Amino acid sequence: MKDMLMTIYNQLLTNEYIRDMTQIDNSQDYRIKFYEYPENGDRSGAFITIRPMQPLSEAYHASNKEMSVSFWYQIDVECRYRMTAKELQYQIKKEMKKLGFGQSSDGLDEYFSETKHYVDARRYTGNSKIYDTEY
């Protein structure tokens, strides 16, 4: 069984800008998490949360057989600098396109004074390749 969350995570880490902005103290750890960013997580720099928006759903059928599945994810970027959030989302969009995802119209673009962080959240939809349903 494949794991689309890990596929997205690994694709994001192929991008040097994303890697540099989320790396924790020159280690092999990154501020990229799934579902929620931990309360005690490192917030000293930009961090990214990848959230599934719905369970996998069937996309295409042939002869009553599932041929493809559909994915819908939200990717949140939080950081102290607005333009860093924008550049990270630009780079994320490029990487998601490489995986066959397109950006949908939903999302969030706000500043939260209690955390002093800008939040830029965007949603992406995509289908697995035809005949590839092992997710």
Side-chain angles (χ1 to χ4, degrees):
M1 176 186 236
K2 295 179 183 180
D3 181 354
M4 186 54 78
L5 284 170
M6 282 307 297
T7 299
I8 293 169
Y9 177 89
N10 290 328
Q11 183 66 41
L12 294 181
L13 289 180
T14 66
N15 183 292
E16 184 178 355
Y17 184 78
I18 295 170
R19 223 177 29 252
D20 289 348
M21 295 306 292
T22 61
Q23 189 173 24
I24 300 172
D25 300 325
N26 296 318
S27 69
Q28 292 299 313
D29 293 326
Y30 299 89
R31 289 182 297 273
I32 302 175
K33 303 296 180 198
F34 305 139
Y35 298 98
E36 285 185 16
Y37 199 81
E39 285 292 322
N40 60 351
D42 180 356
R43 295 171 189 263
S44 61
F47 55 96
I48 297 171
T49 308
I50 306 167
R51 305 168 191 265
M53 297 306 298
Q54 68 183 26
L56 300 179
S57 60
E58 297 175 353
Y60 299 105
H61 292 83
S63 299
N64 290 329
K65 184 176 179 181
E66 179 185 70
M67 305 301 281
S68 179
V69 292
S70 178
F71 301 97
W72 189 24
Y73 290 96
Q74 178 171 302
I75 300 182
D76 304 346
V77 171
E78 282 193 51
C79 59
R80 293 184 183 179
Y81 304 102
R82 184 180 63 84
M83 289 311 295
T84 301
K86 298 297 172 204
E87 182 63 27
L88 277 166
Q89 281 292 10
Y90 172 75
Q91 297 298 326
I92 289 167
K93 184 176 182 176
K94 287 189 341 187
E95 298 307 321
M96 292 299 283
K97 278 190 174 197
K98 291 177 186 176
L99 293 174
F101 283 85
Q103 184 179 339
S104 68
S105 60
D106 296 336
L108 179 71
D109 187 359
E110 289 192 32
Y111 176 75
F112 290 92
S113 57
E114 59 274 1
T115 61
K116 296 182 175 39
H117 278 161
Y118 290 92
V119 178
D120 189 332
R122 300 184 189 183
R123 293 185 178 173
Y124 297 90
T125 59
N127 296 324
S128 69
K129 295 177 182 167
I130 301 294
Y131 306 113
D132 186 8
T133 60
E134 297 297 315
Y135 287 93

